[in-house]
Amino acid sequence: MMPERYTSFAALFCAALLSAALVGCDILEVENPNNLIEDDLGNPAAAPSLANGLEASVARALGAMHAPYHTATGELTWIGSRDAWRELDIGRLDNVSNEFSDAAFPYVAEATWQTRELIRRVEAFREEGTLEDDRTLARLYLYGAIIYTSTADIFDDFVVDSDRREAGEPVGPQNMSRMYDQAIAWLDAAISLDTGLQPTLYAMRARAKYSRAVWQKLHPSVNTDAPLVNNQGAVDDAREALSRANEPLRYELELVPSSPDLVVGDLSMALQINNRAELGFSETYVATEDDGTIDSVSYTDPLSGELHPYLNDFITEFVAADQYADIPIVGQREMYLILAEAALAGNTGTGGSFADHINALRDLNDLPPYEGNADAQTLLVDSREVNLFLQGRRLADHYRFSDPSPQWTESRNAPGTFFPITITEIQANPNLSP
């Protein structure tokens, strides 16, 4: 259950205010078209502002939750003064009172609640024939799929059916796959609207189907004997996304420097790395000076031995963006990875071999082709590590490929552990036990 400050008005006002932030408007303008009051929410003309607001809330939630998540994966490391970061750094995710996962949890809860509420309202507009543009509803479905998929990727359990001050029941660790099912259902609905967002929608549905299959590799226990995912639905959607894209497929939640802190927040991963310096990129990926500042990106491609160009470009752009780094969601790199993994698992319906798909990915950075000159699964894992860097995917790969973070200690959690429902929710929700 969301704390009392997340009442209906407060949450929806936050959505409207955040919408102004994400699109780069000045929230001090007197005539801000995104400023809404409760009565406005029944007006179909408000639908685009509601979609903007949900986009902003999802961006803020992911920005906040990715900081503890990627500290736990070892992509980031603790370089500041707060011991709760160190706890995550060494592989302890299960503390319900960890101050950073707990502080991020309400943002994720807010975004999941807004998803359901705003989709309900805008679906009603469409049923009434008053929705001006189906693209608005497709956007809401997309943002809902993003936050539901990401939540299931990051948490062991969650509460998604709380409604303002009415406490909901936890989904249950054994039922978290239902969040992927809902994400996929929303994407099915979005694709049926045919709004011009099809490449992104197919790519996101491929990701959701693939993530659901990964989840099954980790529950009820981690399957390290057969870690490869071969999901035909994900394969079909990945191929469809690539075939429909008229330009390189890359979908991100974009932040701009004119965004007020309400969107970026004081918890965002980019802020913690580039501004507060509580976190830094781990030594697996960068060489640092004595004071912790980056000297250079040091991660090399396993086949050529050269500095990996994608990771170098990504980290360079991320640092240059300061606290306003964009949040990658899905793109052609992940589609090639889904196809390569399925092909490696023996799927003959991917449209090519493992080498074909992994080399299509490597061609994006002019890297020399794979010609059987390395272990295929090792190359797949490395390619996922680099091309999905800081995108909320790494922890599951650590577990299923028996590839622990170098920063984890013997006190780390057991393989398969993700983040719990945190203390803020536990204390607020009578359906949860302390």
Side-chain angles (χ1 to χ4, degrees):
M1 178 182 180
M2 292 168 284
E4 285 194 3
R5 64 180 178 274
Y6 295 114
T7 60
S8 172
F9 175 79
L12 292 172
F13 174 77
C14 183
L17 186 59
L18 286 172
S19 70
L22 196 68
V23 297
C25 299
D26 182 353
I27 64 169
L28 299 180
E29 290 178 0
V30 174
E31 298 298 331
N32 184 348
N34 291 298
N35 281 341
L36 305 177
I37 61 175
E38 182 75 20
D39 290 345
D40 290 332
L41 300 177
N43 182 352
S49 292
L50 298 181
N52 291 344
L54 183 57
E55 182 180 13
S57 292
V58 170
R60 186 174 71 166
L62 293 183
M65 197 60 215
H66 276 188
Y69 176 91
H70 290 295
T71 305
T73 66
E75 291 161 282
L76 303 178
T77 190
W78 168 64
I79 60 174
S81 59
R82 308 285 283 274
D83 194 56
W85 290 125
R86 177 184 177 277
E87 180 178 59
L88 298 166
D89 211 17
I90 65 174
R92 297 291 310 188
L93 292 78
D94 63 345
N95 182 4
V96 299
S97 297
N98 182 284
E99 64 173 305
F100 298 113
S101 57
D102 183 49
F105 188 97
Y107 289 145
V108 183
E110 180 183 40
T112 58
W113 179 80
Q114 287 180 3
T115 292
R116 300 188 307 280
E117 177 67 12
L118 301 186
I119 286 176
R120 179 186 67 79
R121 288 176 179 269
V122 177
E123 281 180 336
F125 296 154
R126 188 171 190 272
E127 290 172 4
E128 296 164 357
T130 56
L131 181 63
E132 295 181 1
D133 187 352
D134 282 350
R135 186 183 178 95
T136 299
L137 182 55
R139 287 176 59 203
L140 287 169
Y141 287 139
L142 173 61
Y143 305 145
I146 291 169
I147 194 61
Y148 266 54
T149 299
S150 299
T151 300
D153 285 346
I154 291 172
F155 288 94
D156 271 329
D157 196 4
F158 209 80
V159 178
V160 295
D161 62 352
S162 293
D163 187 9
R164 289 163 275 202
R165 297 186 183 184
E166 181 178 341
E169 296 284 349
V171 174
Q174 72 280 9
N175 297 321
M176 285 292 282
S177 61
R178 295 177 185 174
M179 297 194 72
Y180 297 118
D181 295 337
Q182 180 61 76
I184 292 166
W186 280 329
L187 291 164
D188 291 344
I191 288 170
S192 72
L193 296 177
D194 194 18
T195 58
L197 297 174
Q198 259 57 17
T200 296
L201 295 172
Y202 275 108
M204 187 61 212
R205 195 170 70 176
R207 176 190 159 186
K209 290 177 179 178
Y210 175 89
S211 292
R212 192 187 192 286
V214 169
W215 187 91
Q216 292 174 319
K217 294 288 184 180
L218 304 175
H219 299 85
S221 60
V222 179
N223 185 352
T224 56
D225 293 332
L228 296 176
V229 166
N230 179 11
N231 181 276
Q232 191 60 49
V235 166
D236 292 343
D237 281 347
R239 295 185 66 184
E240 192 71 22
L242 291 170
S243 69
R244 286 174 175 262
N246 296 321
E247 56 188 25
L249 179 59
R250 180 180 178 181
Y251 179 74
E252 301 176 326
L253 296 178
E254 298 180 0
L255 299 179
V256 294
S258 58
S259 301
D261 289 343
L262 192 58
V263 169
V264 175
D266 61 358
L267 299 173
S268 78
M269 180 173 67
L271 182 77
Q272 297 295 333
I273 297 170
N274 296 329
N275 191 298
R276 291 183 54 84
E278 289 285 344
L279 303 174
F281 301 105
S282 81
E283 292 183 358
T284 301
Y285 308 101
V286 301
T288 59
E289 302 285 1
D290 291 340
D291 62 359
T293 58
I294 296 174
D295 176 64
S296 62
V297 176
S298 58
Y299 196 93
T300 57
D301 174 63
L303 298 188
S304 67
E306 66 183 89
L307 185 71
H308 200 289
Y310 172 74
L311 193 63
N312 184 67
D313 292 347
F314 180 92
I315 291 178
T316 299
E317 292 173 8
F318 187 96
V319 172
D322 193 42
Q323 60 185 310
Y324 301 101
D326 295 337
I327 302 174
I329 299 300
V330 73
Q332 63 180 341
R333 292 175 183 273
E334 189 164 14
M335 300 301 101
Y336 289 134
L337 287 165
I338 288 172
L339 295 174
E341 185 170 345
L344 185 59
N347 190 328
T348 59
T350 65
S353 66
F354 171 78
D356 292 331
H357 300 307
I358 209 70
N359 285 333
L361 174 64
R362 294 177 64 80
D363 284 347
L364 298 177
N365 291 119
D366 296 321
L367 291 169
Y370 163 74
E371 298 175 331
N373 50 334
D375 179 76
Q377 182 169 300
T378 300
L379 180 59
L380 172 72
V381 175
D382 180 271
S383 300
R384 286 183 56 80
E385 181 177 4
V386 172
N387 290 278
L388 300 177
F389 186 68
L390 296 187
Q391 295 183 38
R393 315 288 202 279
R394 183 70 178 138
L395 193 55
D397 286 0
H398 277 314
Y399 293 148
R400 65 190 175 116
F401 292 114
S402 296
D403 181 29
S405 164
Q407 292 153 215
W408 290 353
T409 68
E410 291 184 359
S411 64
R412 67 184 183 272
N413 291 130
T417 302
F418 291 83
F419 285 92
I421 296 172
T422 65
I423 194 65
T424 295
E425 178 76 9
I426 291 171
Q427 293 176 336
N429 190 332
N431 297 319
L432 298 171
S433 300

